[in-house]
Amino acid sequence: MSMYLKFRIGKDKRKLVPINGFELKDADSNNPQWLQGRQNEDGGRQVFVDLEDENGSPVNLTGASAVFKGVLPGGQYKIWDHKSSTIIDAQAGRFRYTFPKRAMAIAGSYKQAFFEIFREGTKLATLEFNFEVLADLVEENIIPSDYITPFEDLYGKLQDYITKANGDFDTAMTQWKKDVADLITELNADVSGINLTITEIKTQLSALEDKIKADGLATVADLTNMLNPIIDRLDKLEAKEESSDLLTDVGGGIRDIFTGQISNMKARINPDLVNIGMINDVHYTDRDSFWGPDNDAETGITHLLNIGEVSEKLDFAVSVGDNTDDNNGDNHFSIKRIEDYGMTWFTALECPSAVLLGNHDDNSSHAKSSGATGNDYLVPDSKFIQAYRQNVNLFGEKRNGNSNYFYYDIPNKKVRVVGINDYENPNTLDSDGNLKYPRINTSVITGAQLKWLATDALNVSADTHVIVMLHCPIDGTLKDNPTEHCYNHDVLKQLLEAFKNGTSGTLTSSRTDFPVNVDYSFANKGTLIGVFAGHTHTEDYQVINGINYVLNLNSVGCAGDAGNRILYFDTKDEDSWSVIGIDTANKKVKLTKFGRGTDLDFTY
């Protein structure tokens, strides 16, 4: 049996009501919507949903997907189903959802029921409705439980893993554990998703344990060793119900010295602009640091909570390098820091986001300070790929493989964010066993990335506005770096100027280590907003050959060189980051600073 719902985004809303114990009623909405099903129905109950803009025109659902979420009658069990919806007419804004049997397990009114519409990781709309399940007194045979389709899919694969491993339980379980861990990592972007899966995962693991014990597939000791890492990880997540709770262990959560500024920052963000968060040079560390005494730099990671508190007002956010600190002989500690940083960043923020690398992130300054040879002390790029989710593309950002550079198109805003990796340094050793291109004082942009910029990232329509971000300022703009330590910065500068001016041609580089031969054609060019960088721990703004270049202040709480250092730790000026507000209609930028720094307005 088919049913129909119609929602108009921006018009159809439910009233705000207390979340504890509420059931959606017709009176709670200016567009009463309701559905009805029968207990035990399996696939026989379908709903067709039509989605309109405020003006009544269909919402284009090309590339979108619909997820059904709900709390079953009684409030004990939840459903989160991403499998049962189908976009049947994208141009007309219509999709179909088929209710699974588990959604009909309990008779009564759903405590909450809604569809979420996503495109490329961005939530387009939430469509809430009243849903009633009529009783089936003749046949009541469904055992109620949570129904979380991402985990249901994964659990169903376990037998396949064992089969493919030819009965080798250890091999099968290792692969399955990895997939469970990957699923939890992916769900970190949706804290509610974590909470919905925890009970279900533990229930399934318990049943699996009983079966394995009964069949003698592994010893209890083997099983305990294999499952404990998952159980421990789930235990840590289980006590967290909201993102703010999930992060209370990070420096104790939001610190009192920042609460007033956070409220002020929220009020200053203009919702009519395209808003992009930029934080850089956090220099998070867990030891005595060059940046501050008595482990003060450890507080840097709490600055991510500050930007996270305003992130619901942001369209995108980028952590622009020197996220963590280095200069430690054991890369184990550096790897732990980037893992902490990545987990905190992607959990704290409620908007699409990305992370770029800086010169301090890979621990290469250890060689400079200690004279170490080899490269075992470096953080391998594979760890950045994992911690900073360069191979996941959670939000629809476009990358060249697992590269750190990316671009992201803000949905429906005609703004593209381009993140450049100016630390593509290979871990090559010279004849003396020393690192040949240490990131701490060498910036490398390869020909492959420049080609990607010319043919892909900067290949935009004429009505697209492009903002460029990278850690180290382009050599010869806001900062002059020693020429021998900056590879292909000059080519990047020429490429951006060609994009701004709408010219065509070929760029080459005579550097034999990192050759460049890039053809470009920007006849149908977009508009370059500006180039934003960090690295220098200063703020600056200049227009060079018609391009806006901006330096953003450091987030770590100090300023000045080692001989003239100003410390801001435990004061309201400890933190500093920016929200870049873009007015595409008038081609204006409003840079709003949190903590230290001066607001900036300019045209482009």
Side-chain angles (χ1 to χ4, degrees):
M1 180 181 295
S2 298
M3 301 171 288
Y4 297 87
L5 296 175
K6 179 179 286 188
F7 292 91
R8 182 168 292 183
I9 296 177
K11 296 285 187 181
D12 303 329
K13 302 177 181 178
R14 67 172 177 82
K15 297 176 182 178
L16 293 177
V17 293
I19 196 67
N20 293 323
F22 90 86
E23 292 185 19
L24 190 69
K25 303 297 183 185
D26 289 351
D28 293 328
S29 172
N30 63 5
N31 179 36
Q33 303 275 12
W34 65 275
L35 296 177
Q36 194 174 74
R38 176 71 67 178
Q39 196 175 10
N40 295 319
E41 283 184 319
D42 186 11
R45 187 68 54 166
Q46 293 183 331
V47 58
F48 291 87
V49 182
D50 292 306
L51 197 56
E52 297 179 348
D53 285 323
E54 289 190 60
N55 62 8
S57 61
V59 173
N60 190 336
L61 295 179
T62 301
S65 61
V67 176
F68 173 57
K69 294 185 179 181
V71 182
L72 272 67
Q76 183 177 0
Y77 300 107
K78 302 178 179 67
I79 182 170
W80 178 29
D81 182 14
H82 74 306
K83 293 175 57 179
S84 305
S85 64
T86 304
I87 304 296
I88 57 175
D89 192 340
Q91 299 295 324
R94 169 170 282 202
F95 69 90
R96 180 185 66 235
Y97 179 76
T98 303
F99 287 92
K101 191 172 184 177
R102 296 272 287 279
M104 307 290 192
I106 304 175
S109 295
Y110 263 60
K111 305 295 288 184
Q112 187 178 39
F114 59 93
F115 293 110
E116 285 183 342
I117 312 300
F118 290 89
R119 181 187 288 118
E120 295 185 340
T122 299
K123 187 184 298 184
L124 301 181
T126 301
L127 317 174
E128 194 143 14
F129 56 91
N130 194 31
F131 184 32
E132 295 179 346
V133 179
L134 302 178
D136 179 355
L137 301 180
V138 177
E139 182 181 359
E140 294 181 293
N141 60 356
I142 304 178
I143 300 174
S145 67
D146 289 335
Y147 181 57
I148 317 299
T149 53
F151 183 75
E152 294 284 337
D153 293 345
L154 191 57
Y155 183 69
K157 293 179 181 178
L158 183 56
Q159 183 58 50
D160 292 339
Y161 289 170
I162 296 176
T163 301
K164 291 179 181 178
N166 296 320
D168 186 339
F169 178 78
D170 288 349
T171 300
M173 197 64 184
T174 297
Q175 180 60 45
W176 190 75
K177 282 172 54 185
K178 178 182 180 300
D179 288 349
V180 170
D182 289 345
L183 173 62
I184 294 172
T185 298
E186 180 179 351
L187 291 175
N188 280 340
D190 182 352
V191 175
S192 63
I194 294 175
N195 299 326
L196 293 181
T197 57
I198 289 170
T199 301
E200 180 70 8
I201 291 175
K202 284 197 167 185
T203 300
Q204 300 280 21
L205 287 178
S206 177
L208 173 65
E209 181 178 10
D210 291 341
K211 184 179 188 306
I212 292 173
K213 288 177 181 177
D215 293 347
L217 294 177
T219 67
V220 175
D222 289 339
L223 184 69
T224 300
N225 290 335
M226 287 183 286
L227 295 184
N228 273 348
I230 296 178
I231 298 298
D232 290 344
R233 189 170 185 181
L234 293 172
D235 284 339
K236 292 176 182 178
L237 292 172
E238 188 171 27
K240 321 299 184 181
E241 295 181 355
E242 298 177 356
S243 60
S244 57
D245 294 331
L246 186 63
L247 296 167
T248 52
D249 290 339
V250 180
I254 301 295
R255 293 155 60 198
D256 292 341
I257 57 174
F258 298 127
T259 53
Q261 289 184 91
I262 290 171
S263 297
N264 179 263
M265 191 67 171
K266 286 182 179 179
R268 294 162 65 205
I269 297 175
N270 185 347
D272 296 327
L273 304 180
V274 178
N275 292 299
I276 300 170
M278 176 181 180
I279 189 170
N280 53 272
D281 296 275
V282 175
H283 287 281
Y284 164 58
T285 182
D286 51 5
R287 56 175 177 78
D288 290 334
S289 170
F290 174 75
W291 306 109
D294 301 324
N295 292 326
D296 280 339
E298 184 175 1
T299 64
I301 202 169
T302 69
H303 299 175
L304 304 188
L305 308 188
N306 296 340
I307 192 171
E309 284 295 292
V310 307
S311 60
E312 63 182 11
K313 296 179 175 290
L314 303 180
D315 295 286
F316 194 63
V318 186
S319 181
V320 190
D322 280 3
N323 313 299
T324 60
D325 208 39
D326 56 354
N327 196 18
N328 193 303
D330 187 347
N331 70 5
H332 169 76
F333 298 103
S334 297
I335 292 171
K336 176 64 166 59
R337 284 194 287 274
I338 71 164
E339 290 175 342
D340 289 347
Y341 194 95
M343 178 65 76
T344 304
W345 173 259
F346 288 109
T347 305
L349 269 68
E350 298 181 29
C351 66
S353 61
V355 182
L356 292 171
L357 299 184
N359 58 309
H360 277 271
D361 289 300
D362 75 339
N363 206 31
S364 63
S365 73
H366 174 66
K368 181 179 178 182
S369 64
S370 67
T373 57
N375 53 26
D376 290 343
Y377 56 86
L378 294 177
V379 176
D381 285 346
S382 61
K383 295 299 181 181
F384 293 113
I385 290 171
Q386 180 181 13
Y388 297 155
R389 306 186 185 182
Q390 297 163 17
N391 60 343
V392 177
N393 291 21
L394 286 175
F395 310 110
E397 67 274 21
K398 305 298 189 299
R399 301 177 185 271
N400 186 8
N402 293 333
S403 60
N404 184 249
Y405 52 87
F406 68 90
Y407 69 81
Y408 175 77
D409 292 320
I410 296 176
N412 306 316
K413 298 294 180 70
K414 292 296 183 180
V415 172
R416 174 170 289 188
V417 183
V418 177
I420 292 176
N421 180 13
D422 48 351
Y423 291 96
E424 291 188 280
N425 307 34
N427 294 337
T428 306
L429 302 178
D430 62 20
S431 57
D432 296 323
N434 298 312
L435 194 61
K436 192 173 182 180
Y437 308 103
R439 280 182 173 135
I440 189 61
N441 60 3
T442 307
S443 172
V444 173
I445 305 170
T446 66
Q449 182 177 184
L450 291 165
K451 183 177 181 179
W452 172 83
L453 280 167
T455 60
D456 195 354
L458 297 178
N459 183 17
V460 297
S461 59
D463 60 350
T464 300
H465 303 247
V466 177
I467 180 172
V468 175
M469 292 181 168
L470 73 170
H471 180 70
C472 182
I474 298 174
D475 190 37
T477 59
L478 296 171
K479 179 180 173 62
D480 287 321
N481 301 300
T483 304
E484 66 272 22
H485 294 328
C486 286
Y487 293 84
N488 294 330
H489 277 224
D490 54 339
V491 183
L492 173 60
K493 182 171 179 288
Q494 294 174 62
L495 188 63
L496 292 176
E497 290 175 357
F499 174 74
K500 176 173 177 54
N501 297 325
T503 60
S504 302
T506 301
L507 290 173
T508 60
S509 173
S510 59
R511 297 184 182 276
T512 56
D513 289 348
F514 304 103
V516 175
N517 191 315
V518 174
D519 295 324
Y520 63 90
S521 179
F522 300 125
N524 185 31
K525 72 182 184 70
T527 302
L528 183 59
I529 298 169
V531 181
F532 291 74
H535 182 60
T536 67
H537 293 213
T538 57
E539 61 181 357
D540 195 5
Y541 165 73
Q542 293 184 40
V543 180
I544 302 172
N545 294 338
I547 297 178
N548 295 292
Y549 289 92
V550 181
L551 267 179
N552 202 42
L553 271 177
N554 52 300
S555 173
V556 69
C558 67
D561 56 32
N564 187 28
R565 177 137 299 165
I566 303 173
L567 301 181
Y568 299 103
F569 294 105
D570 296 321
T571 74
K572 64 181 181 62
D573 292 326
E574 176 184 300
D575 192 8
S576 180
W577 42 268
S578 300
V579 172
I580 305 164
I582 303 167
D583 178 356
T584 56
N586 298 299
K587 295 186 178 181
K588 293 182 178 180
V589 170
K590 181 174 182 59
L591 194 71
T592 304
K593 294 293 186 75
F594 180 92
R596 283 172 286 123
T598 306
D599 290 357
L600 173 68
D601 297 280
F602 62 86
T603 59
Y604 62 90

